[in-house]
Amino acid sequence: MKNAALAGTGLVVLYTLMISSADAITKFIAKGYAAPQMFAVSGLIVAVLSLGTARLRSQKQSLRTTCPRAMALRVCLTVIGSVAFFYAFRLLPFAEVFVFIGMVPLFAGLFSGLVLQEHVRPMAWAALGAGFVGVLCLFPQGIASVTPGHIIALVACFCGTLSMIIARYIGRYEANALAQVFYPNLSLGVVMAAALPFVYQAMPLTDLLWVAAYGGVLFVARWLLVVSLRLLAAYAVTPLMNLQFVWMVVLGAVFFGEMPEGNIYLGVAIVISSGIFLVYDQMAPERVRTNWPARAQSRLDLRHRKTKEI
């Protein structure tokens, strides 16, 4: 249990670096192209990499899934979420998009109970709430008004979170992580390729190489995420994913000239603290993780019995 939690934590940290790099490429490409221009190429690249990896292993791995309906739902959510994130990064600065990404742990806590029947303890909810407050700190100016970009970002986070929950659900019945990378990206590439003729613009070689790099980075990131979701509970993984804010502070400053203010660092500290608490909670023995209201009630009952005896 403890080793699995540590391994899952390390994979999530590496995932945050990879996915932040992919987000930076998305923001760069989104300035001048429509979503199909990027995802038609990158989706098919990730699908080909998944297929090649399955075939190159010493024991060839099948890409069949034992959960076709759950996989179909994950495919639909991945396509919608990917396109929504693309346009959210086009319409909003990083900080505002990340305000909505901060809602992912809260969505995950809700969906974990509804879909996975995973009990989320009150102290874990407190940590999740603290993480959300930390993300709000990352938004220097607050949300003054609702725009189409904000709505798109909310849809993106909703779909992305539910897709991750479905990934953990599928992981209960099969250990084939590549299948969960292959089918969503194959579908994304095919759907975007169908729309590509309507929005196509000629791309210079450098931009095409960026899109190819995005596909490679995304392949590694999504494979890491699927594996980590088998090792850690979803509500522990998602707050750790907020570590990508640290990477985005660096990438934003270096490549986009976005200089963070002090409140952003405060928010990052709160988010990281929340994630560390949830990992500790995941690693603690079951008797320590017992629901604290039940323990408190047990102590009250014991005191009551002693009072009656006196």
Side-chain angles (χ1 to χ4, degrees):
M1 181 70 176
K2 184 175 181 179
N3 290 337
L6 287 173
T9 301
L11 290 177
V12 175
V13 171
L14 183 57
Y15 163 81
T16 61
L17 175 58
M18 303 297 288
I19 203 66
S20 296
S21 301
D23 287 342
I25 297 174
T26 300
K27 188 173 180 66
F28 173 73
I29 295 297
K31 292 179 179 179
Y33 303 97
Q37 191 98 14
M38 180 173 184
F39 293 130
V41 176
S42 63
L44 294 175
I45 287 176
V46 175
V48 170
L49 288 173
S50 301
L51 184 62
T53 302
R55 294 292 180 266
L56 290 175
R57 289 187 172 184
S58 56
Q59 295 181 345
K60 292 184 179 181
Q61 183 175 353
S62 171
L63 290 175
R64 293 181 180 179
T65 176
T66 58
C67 305
R69 285 183 290 184
M71 187 68 76
L73 178 58
R74 175 165 158 77
V75 162
C76 294
L77 291 168
T78 299
V79 172
I80 296 172
S82 297
V83 175
F85 269 119
F86 181 92
Y87 285 106
F89 279 115
R90 169 184 278 188
L91 297 172
L92 298 174
F94 273 130
E96 292 190 29
V97 176
F98 289 159
V99 168
F100 292 92
I101 292 177
M103 297 176 68
V104 169
L106 300 180
F107 281 145
L110 174 63
F111 293 147
S112 292
L114 294 176
V115 178
L116 304 177
Q117 303 300 314
E118 292 180 352
H119 176 64
V120 183
R121 291 166 298 280
M123 291 303 292
W125 276 112
L128 292 172
F132 179 63
V133 171
V135 175
L136 290 180
C137 293
L138 297 174
F139 189 28
Q141 300 173 347
I143 302 177
S145 60
V146 176
T147 67
H150 295 128
I151 297 174
I152 291 172
L154 181 61
V155 171
C157 292
F158 182 89
C159 292
T161 305
L162 190 51
S163 177
M164 288 186 293
I165 297 297
I166 298 299
R168 183 165 172 82
Y169 172 83
I170 295 172
R172 289 179 171 180
Y173 301 97
E174 61 182 45
N176 190 354
L178 282 175
Q180 294 207 53
V181 179
F182 175 73
Y183 289 108
N185 285 282
L186 176 64
S187 301
L188 179 63
V190 170
V191 171
M192 293 296 105
L196 185 58
F198 301 99
V199 296
Y200 178 77
Q201 299 180 46
M203 298 183 75
L205 180 60
T206 52
D207 288 353
L208 189 59
L209 289 175
W210 276 118
V211 173
Y214 170 84
V217 171
L218 194 64
F219 166 73
V220 176
R222 286 185 171 171
W223 180 78
L224 289 172
L225 179 61
V226 170
V227 174
S228 66
L229 284 168
R230 293 208 310 263
L231 299 174
L232 284 177
Y235 65 82
V237 169
T238 46
L240 280 174
M241 288 169 58
N242 286 324
L243 286 171
Q244 65 184 292
F245 293 124
V246 178
W247 307 121
M248 291 313 299
V249 165
V250 177
L251 293 172
V254 173
F255 295 105
F256 300 104
E258 298 176 355
M259 302 304 296
E261 299 180 3
N263 57 325
I264 294 181
Y265 293 105
L266 174 62
V268 168
I270 296 174
V271 167
I272 292 177
S273 298
S274 173
I276 291 173
F277 174 83
L278 285 179
V279 172
Y280 171 78
D281 181 73
Q282 178 78 1
M283 294 168 58
E286 187 64 33
R287 61 182 178 81
V288 176
R289 295 191 286 124
T290 303
N291 197 1
W292 66 266
R295 297 203 307 269
Q297 184 62 46
S298 177
R299 287 194 294 267
L300 288 175
D301 291 343
L302 179 61
R303 290 179 183 177
H304 182 67
R305 286 197 300 269
K306 287 183 177 179
T307 302
K308 291 180 64 176
E309 291 174 358
I310 293 175

